[in-house]
């Protein structure tokens, strides 16, 4: 989805819609009145992202006069309500090699090539904003961080080709796909409350020239754990959208987490995760016990 105005969209404080400009956030919440009323029982798509292309002229017209506040004084919230969160297993070449070499942690059925095993779903109840932090469950088992480029679908996508796929992207964010290690299915181990971190905002697609060439880094307590570039994805953004939409319709607001590079490792109560992706920004996430 090509917007008319490159921006960083966010939800802040108590349900306010904003655009991050430098070290301030402009409050454009008045455009929410333009959204259609939700029908009972609801569901199906994120109403904001479904309407966003039509709302862009209104956003442009109010942005200069929108009230602003320092970003440091705003509490950033989750800015999207997807029908589904889609994960891409073992989608970096170096992570595939790392997993293959550690069979005590990664089991054989978890190492099947993504082209063969396909994608997986995470419960959208696992989604949190970075400021909400990660609440560890199953303290007797290893929980790992997985840094990922996350994308948001901007319009209904059904059996989309990779050549057209980027036209369906509303924007990008930083994702953490937190994972309890074990033999269970991925969807089970990755759907724990707070185990899908998404933020700090959504950078509209027109601000990211090439999602296949973005540097990323994750540290835990200042120690670099993951450092990579999205050029090393096995299946890039267009291919992932093609694969996902060939099996199920993607709705506005749906999230695809594109996979994690090598360097995944355990976190513990009291740890601080810092992650950044070029062109998007950075997040700081605290780890606590559930």
């Amino acid at each position: 989805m090509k917007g008319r105005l490159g921006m960083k969209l966010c939800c802040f404080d108590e349900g306010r819609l904003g655009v991050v400009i430098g070290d301030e956030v402009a409050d454009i919440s008045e455009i929410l009145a333009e959204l259609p009323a939700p029908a009972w029982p609801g569901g199906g798509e994120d109403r904001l992202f479904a309407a966003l292309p039509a709302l862009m002229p209104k956003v442009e017209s109010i942005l200069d006069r929108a009230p602003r506040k320092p970003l440091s004084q705003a509490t950033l919230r989750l800015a999207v309500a997807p029908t589904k969160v889609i994960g891409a297993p073992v989608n970096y070449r170096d992570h595939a090699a790392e997993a293959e070499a550690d069979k005590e942690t990664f089991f054989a059925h978890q190492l099947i090539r993504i082209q063969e095993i396909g994608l997986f779903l995470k419960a959208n109840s696992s989604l949190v904003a970075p400021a909400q932090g990660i609440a560890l469950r199953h303290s007797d088992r290893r929980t790992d961080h997985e840094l990922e480029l996350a994308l948001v679908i901007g319009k209904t996508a059904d059996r989309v080709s990779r050549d057209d796929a980027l036209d369906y992207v509303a924007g990008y964010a930083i994702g953490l796909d937190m994972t309890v290690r074990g033999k269970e299915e991925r969807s089970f181990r990755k759907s724990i409350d707070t185990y899908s971190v998404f933020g700090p905002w959504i950078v509209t697609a027109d601000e990211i020239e090439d999602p296949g060439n973005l540097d990323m880094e994750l540290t835990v307590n200042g120690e670099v754990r993951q450092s990579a570039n999205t050029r090393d994805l096995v299946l890039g953004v267009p291919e992932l959208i093609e694969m996902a939409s060939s099996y199920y319709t993607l709705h506005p607001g749906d999230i695809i987490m594109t996979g994690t590079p090598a360097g995944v490792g355990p976190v513990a109560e009291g740890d601080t995760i810092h992650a950044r992706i070029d062109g998007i920004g950075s997040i700081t996430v605290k780890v606590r016990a559930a």
Side-chain angles (χ1 to χ4, degrees):
M1 181 189 74
K2 298 299 183 182
R4 294 176 59 191
L5 176 68
M7 64 177 67
K8 296 178 175 70
L9 286 171
C10 72
C11 176
F12 70 100
D13 295 348
E14 299 303 320
R16 310 301 296 177
L17 179 64
V19 174
V20 176
I21 302 172
D23 58 0
E24 295 183 316
V25 57
D27 190 337
I28 59 167
S29 300
E30 67 178 84
I31 73 164
L32 296 176
E34 307 287 330
L35 298 181
W40 187 89
E45 62 185 22
D46 183 298
R47 292 183 300 134
L48 174 63
F49 284 94
L52 192 58
L55 291 175
M56 290 300 268
K58 177 71 176 290
V59 173
E60 290 183 12
S61 70
I62 69 172
L63 197 55
D64 286 343
R65 62 175 174 79
R68 300 191 183 194
K69 69 182 298 183
L71 187 58
S72 61
Q73 296 177 16
T75 300
L76 296 179
R77 311 286 188 184
L78 194 62
V80 65
T83 67
K84 48 191 169 290
V85 180
I86 300 163
V90 198
N91 198 29
Y92 277 81
R93 297 172 184 86
D94 59 358
H95 179 49
E98 158 183 78
E100 186 68 38
D102 184 4
K103 290 186 170 59
E104 290 187 4
T105 302
F106 303 91
F107 299 92
H109 70 282
Q110 298 167 7
L111 298 177
I112 302 171
R113 295 168 66 245
I114 186 172
Q115 296 93 331
E116 300 170 60
I117 198 171
L119 308 176
F120 64 92
L121 297 174
K122 299 187 70 170
N124 45 11
S125 58
S126 66
L127 275 169
V128 290
Q132 292 173 265
I134 297 162
L136 296 180
R137 297 200 190 193
H138 305 290
S139 58
D140 57 325
R141 296 171 62 175
R142 171 174 159 176
T143 291
D144 283 6
H145 57 77
E146 297 189 4
L147 170 62
E148 315 209 358
L149 173 68
L151 66 91
V152 179
I153 294 296
K155 61 182 180 180
T156 302
D158 180 10
R159 289 159 286 188
V160 170
S161 74
R162 64 188 65 184
D163 292 337
D164 298 327
L166 292 183
D167 292 337
Y168 291 80
V169 178
Y172 300 91
I174 299 170
L176 296 182
D177 176 19
M178 304 303 296
T179 304
V180 170
R181 295 299 174 199
K183 295 181 179 180
E184 302 94 340
E185 292 293 336
R186 284 182 172 89
S187 293
F188 189 60
R189 294 181 288 107
K190 292 169 173 277
S191 287
I192 296 170
D193 296 353
T194 74
Y195 275 39
S196 299
V197 182
F198 179 91
W201 40 65
I202 297 166
V203 176
T204 53
D206 44 357
E207 283 209 347
I208 302 296
E209 182 177 351
D210 181 7
N213 186 21
L214 299 174
D215 288 331
M216 59 172 64
E217 183 180 82
L218 179 143
T219 66
V220 177
N221 303 329
E223 173 197 358
V224 176
R225 295 273 189 90
Q226 295 182 277
S227 182
N229 186 288
T230 54
R231 72 170 69 93
D232 296 323
L233 284 162
V234 176
L235 297 182
V237 170
E239 291 80 13
L240 290 171
I241 293 172
E242 179 182 68
M243 177 183 278
S245 69
S246 73
Y247 277 81
Y248 27 67
T249 300
L250 305 178
H251 299 287
D254 282 356
I255 293 171
I256 298 179
M257 291 194 174
T258 59
T260 196
V264 302
V267 294
E269 178 183 354
D271 284 349
T272 298
I273 298 171
H274 184 80
R276 65 166 183 83
I277 298 179
D278 283 356
I280 297 174
S282 63
I283 59 173
T284 299
V285 186
K286 302 289 188 180
V287 182
R288 66 185 188 280

